[in-house]
Amino acid sequence: SAVGRGPEVPFRSEAYSISAVARGKELRLTLSALDPAAGPPAQDLVFRFGMSGSFRLSPAAELPRHAHLRFLTRESPPRALCFVDPRRFGSWRLGDAWQPERGPCVVSEYQAFRENVLKNLDDRAFDKPICEVLLNQKYFNGIGNYLRAEILYRLKIPPFEKARTVLEAVKEQERRKKDPSLTLSKKVKLRQENPDLLELCHTVPMEVIMAEKQLSDPEHSDYYSAVEKWLQCYLVPGMSSLRDRSGRTIWFQLGTPSDTGQRPRRTPRKKSPQLKAGPEAPRPKVTPRALKQRRRAAGNPPKSEEKEEEKEEQADGARKGRARGRRTVPAAPASPGAPLSVRRSRRTSARRGRGKPGSP
């Protein structure tokens, strides 16, 4: 289409076939002329679907919106196999090479996928929470946002648990299942009754694939209702959700932040209540300014507090700073003729009338 972002496909043939093979989150199409001698050489395209990409077969006269790449049939009236991507997060590129940074597929290369994860647990990637690592296509090629929620929910794994902690337990569980003292039937029973995280990364996507084969038409009204019935956690009412550090929303079973390993949001620290002075309990030191504010708020405070405060000031021989941590400045000797540059409190003025600081 005119607004498509992908490269032009240099393949022209009057009669050709399309075959496909998937690996993780990538799909490779191969365009092959029916007459290899007369037609062009085969052309490979590798697609990434993003969040909204899909293929749809529709009449050529009624193309769906956002159909960015179209393959026309020879029938009459012709139809078009369209790569539809409303959000344009998907893409395609020429050639048959898979992306090198993607690991083995969780569906079609299960054993290689499993070994790739367990032998690389010392990688720093596994320092992150398990919900974030499940989206790392280097190790979990094919797992997306809704799949990670369903897998963690079925195993009751807190989504923000450290990935290495979870997978080390899987490694130990695998060692127990391979115990030579167990019979084959017991080993099979253990795997069926206690599937681990990596096994569910294979079986849960397979459930989706089998369901899509039964409902192959995404436009059918039963398609989305069947998907909604299959979901146990993702977008299900009553479940909790949080954003991970990559900005993706993870859905999980309702619980407290401590249950999930997620740090709770910081709340404003409450001010500690003022201590009340008792006959035996020590009273906290109060600055003259704070005492003045308290006098205004309380009306008539006890005179004992004022006398005690004056004794403390006379013993220090200095006026307290207005804020905590400010350096104290010694009071200057009283000078009858000098003008006052700073406004003093009434208590300080009264003290100046008695004499110099430190005098009896």
Side-chain angles (χ1 to χ4, degrees), residues 297-341:
N300 297 318
K303 293 184 178 181
S304 59
E305 293 185 5
E306 184 177 353
K307 291 181 179 179
E308 188 175 352
E309 180 70 18
E310 289 180 359
K311 290 179 181 180
E312 291 178 0
E313 291 183 355
Q314 289 176 5
D316 294 339
R319 182 168 173 261
K320 300 290 185 179
R322 292 190 176 184
R324 183 177 295 179
R326 183 178 297 176
R327 294 179 57 187
T328 57
V329 181
S335 177
L340 292 177
S341 57

Side-chain angles (χ1 to χ4, degrees), residues 14-317:
E14 290 296 325
Y16 63 98
S17 64
I18 300 178
S19 60
V21 59
R23 184 177 184 268
K25 286 193 171 186
E26 293 183 297
L27 178 73
R28 182 169 64 206
L29 295 187
T30 301
L31 314 180
S32 305
L34 294 184
D35 185 2
Q43 175 67 60
D44 292 305
L45 305 171
V46 177
F47 287 81
R48 294 175 61 186
F49 293 90
M51 295 181 66
S52 60
S54 65
F55 277 96
R56 194 177 306 174
L57 186 63
S58 60
E62 301 174 7
L63 292 176
R65 295 183 60 188
H66 310 288
H68 300 304
L69 192 61
R70 308 146 190 175
F71 304 93
L72 301 177
T73 66
R74 296 187 64 186
E75 60 189 336
S76 181
R79 290 186 295 173
L81 178 65
C82 305
F83 176 65
V84 182
D85 186 17
R87 296 190 178 185
R88 301 189 193 181
F89 290 164
S91 63
W92 68 86
R93 63 183 184 276
L94 305 179
D96 61 350
W98 306 110
Q99 279 189 315
E101 65 270 19
R102 290 181 179 267
C105 176
V106 297
V107 172
S108 61
E109 302 168 301
Y110 171 64
Q111 288 301 328
F113 148 71
R114 188 179 184 92
E115 293 173 3
N116 184 46
V117 173
L118 295 180
K119 74 179 182 182
N120 290 294
L121 290 183
D122 56 346
D123 191 333
R124 292 178 60 185
F126 295 100
D127 292 338
K128 297 180 179 180
I130 185 62
C131 66
E132 297 181 14
V133 175
L134 284 175
L135 297 183
N136 187 339
Q137 300 302 296
K138 179 180 179 180
Y139 295 106
F140 294 88
N141 187 13
I143 300 299
N145 200 20
Y146 80 96
L147 286 175
R148 68 168 176 173
E150 297 299 317
I151 292 168
L152 295 176
Y153 170 78
R154 295 190 188 191
L155 294 174
K156 308 303 178 187
I157 295 177
F160 292 94
E161 186 77 22
K162 189 176 180 179
R164 186 176 291 105
T165 303
V166 175
L167 294 169
E168 286 286 359
V170 171
K171 200 171 185 178
E172 176 62 24
Q173 187 177 354
E174 182 180 57
R175 188 190 63 80
R176 291 197 302 267
K177 290 178 181 179
K178 291 182 178 180
D179 188 349
S181 63
L182 296 176
T183 62
L184 180 61
S185 60
K186 287 185 177 180
K187 290 180 180 180
V188 173
K189 187 177 180 181
L190 276 176
R191 291 188 179 276
Q192 291 176 347
E193 295 179 352
N194 301 296
D196 59 42
L197 176 72
L198 300 182
E199 289 172 340
L200 260 64
C201 286
H202 172 73
T203 58
V204 173
M206 286 299 299
E207 292 179 14
V208 181
I209 293 172
M210 298 306 296
E212 288 181 345
K213 285 183 178 180
Q214 296 176 1
L215 298 169
S216 57
D217 184 8
E219 296 299 315
H220 198 280
S221 59
D222 293 338
Y223 181 84
Y224 290 104
S225 61
V227 173
E228 289 178 355
K229 290 179 181 178
W230 177 83
L231 292 171
Q232 300 179 30
C233 179
Y234 184 76
L235 296 177
V236 173
M239 294 294 166
S240 297
S241 64
L242 285 173
R243 286 189 180 272
D244 59 24
R245 287 181 293 184
S246 61
R248 304 292 298 276
T249 301
I250 173 67
W251 292 79
F252 56 96
Q253 191 172 18
L254 188 63
T256 61
S258 59
D259 294 334
T260 62
Q262 174 77 342
R263 292 183 179 179
R265 295 180 179 178
R266 291 185 178 180
T267 54
R269 184 178 296 177
K270 294 182 179 180
K271 295 182 179 180
S272 58
Q274 295 289 338
L275 297 176
K276 295 183 178 180
E280 297 179 358
R283 190 176 59 83
K285 294 182 180 181
V286 183
T287 62
R289 183 182 182 186
L291 184 62
K292 187 177 181 180
Q293 292 177 348
R294 184 183 298 176
R295 184 185 296 121
R296 291 178 180 176
N300 297 318
K303 293 184 178 181
S304 59
E305 293 185 5
E306 184 177 353
K307 291 181 179 179
E308 188 175 352
E309 180 70 18
E310 289 180 359
K311 290 179 181 180
E312 291 178 0
E313 291 183 355
Q314 289 176 5
D316 294 339

